[in-house]
Amino acid sequence: GQQLNQSPQSMFIQEGEDVSMNCTSSSIFNTWLWYKQDPGEGPVLLIALYKAGELTSNGRLTAQFGITRKDSFLNISASIPSDVGIYFCAGRRINTGTASKLTFGTGTRLQVTL
Amino acid sequence: EPEVTQTPSHQVTQMGQEVILRCVPISNHLYFYWYRQILGQKVEFLVSFYNNEISEKSEIFDDQFSVERPDGSNFTLKIRSTKLEDSAMYFCASSGGMDEQFFGPGTRLTVL
């Protein structure tokens, strides 16, 4: 099946630092989504990307859809304590007229120290 | 802001019992999904639903699982005879079209 690998698996950073994480796949996806999950809660959508090469920002977050359509990157600038959580990438192949599933990555656990 | 809701937040059941997990998707959405997440692992797709029928299902979604949209607002996942390995967080999601999927807060299912 399709596998999405995220790196790093986990990271400790200092408050104020910038963060980069990425997601790679052996398969092509039409859409890339980035979600954040806090303990015991559901994934919350952060950014959606629809075209190869697309660069999209949401506040301090910036994500890019890789040119090969097999990868995506998420950057967080000037991290704050509430950025703590697990970040998941998710890829989707669009099947017209049907509900297309998301394939989730393995997750990057972010911990921020003051 | 509209959101996906799920009930119950936590369900404890005995092995072999039937459980029904309930979801109310965002009201104008047409596409509905169930995912599960075993503790400490990634989110896994179970089933998608559109136009009153299953669009796609994963290998996990065997004959013990079923979904239903009994009325205009609810979307349910039934597990007929629960197994220990069904213990997980179950997430419902919905989308308005070929776009983002929004997730509910989840139901934690514990099978004893």
Side-chain angles (χ1 to χ4, degrees):
Chain A
Q2 298 157 1
Q3 183 90 345
L4 295 185
N5 295 309
Q6 286 184 244
S7 65
Q9 244 183 334
S10 65
M11 54 197 314
F12 281 89
I13 61 166
Q14 296 234 325
E15 184 179 4
E17 285 184 355
D18 297 343
V19 175
S20 290
M21 60 188 79
N22 68 62
C23 183
T24 58
S25 169
S26 57
S27 305
I28 289 173
F29 288 99
N30 301 106
T31 303
W32 285 95
L33 305 170
W34 283 92
Y35 288 87
K36 177 175 183 275
Q37 186 179 31
D38 291 328
E41 298 184 14
V44 175
L45 182 64
L46 300 174
I47 289 183
L49 302 157
Y50 298 102
K51 293 193 305 188
E54 179 181 352
L55 185 73
T56 296
S57 292
N58 178 10
R60 293 180 296 107
L61 277 60
T62 302
Q64 183 159 27
F65 191 142
I67 292 290
T68 65
R69 295 165 64 194
K70 292 183 179 182
D71 57 7
S72 180
F73 305 87
L74 177 70
N75 296 315
I76 305 172
S77 63
S79 58
I80 59 178
S82 61
D83 290 335
V84 164
I86 302 178
Y87 291 80
F88 287 101
C89 63
R92 187 177 73 186
R93 293 180 174 183
I94 296 174
N95 298 316
T96 304
T98 66
S100 303
K101 70 177 185 183
L102 293 179
T103 299
F104 276 78
T106 48
T108 292
R109 181 182 298 273
L110 179 63
Q111 293 174 274
V112 180
T113 57
L114 299 176
Chain B
E1 187 173 322
E3 57 184 19
V4 177
T5 59
Q6 290 185 242
T7 54
S9 57
H10 192 184
Q11 174 89 50
V12 181
T13 189
Q14 295 287 328
M15 192 169 56
Q17 295 296 304
E18 174 183 288
V19 294
I20 297 176
L21 310 183
R22 302 180 193 280
C23 168
V24 178
I26 293 173
S27 64
N28 60 347
H29 283 185
L30 301 175
Y31 302 85
F32 313 113
Y33 314 82
W34 284 100
Y35 293 81
R36 80 169 187 191
Q37 185 180 34
I38 294 171
L39 186 64
Q41 298 187 21
K42 66 178 183 179
V43 178
E44 300 174 289
F45 169 77
L46 291 178
V47 66
S48 59
F49 192 87
Y50 169 68
N51 202 23
N52 281 320
E53 59 183 22
I54 290 175
S55 294
E56 187 177 3
K57 56 185 181 180
S58 71
E59 291 174 355
I60 303 167
F61 194 89
D62 61 22
D63 292 345
Q64 294 301 311
F65 290 85
S66 63
V67 290
E68 193 177 28
R69 186 153 164 82
D71 53 42
S73 60
N74 291 282
F75 181 51
T76 62
L77 174 70
K78 181 193 291 186
I79 310 175
R80 283 186 190 73
S81 178
T82 50
K83 303 187 283 284
L84 294 176
E85 54 265 39
D86 293 329
S87 295
M89 283 288 286
Y90 286 81
F91 294 107
C92 173
S94 70
S95 64
M98 301 299 183
D99 51 22
E100 304 95 343
Q101 292 181 23
F102 295 89
F103 283 73
T107 293
R108 179 176 299 282
L109 177 64
T110 302
V111 183
L112 303 175

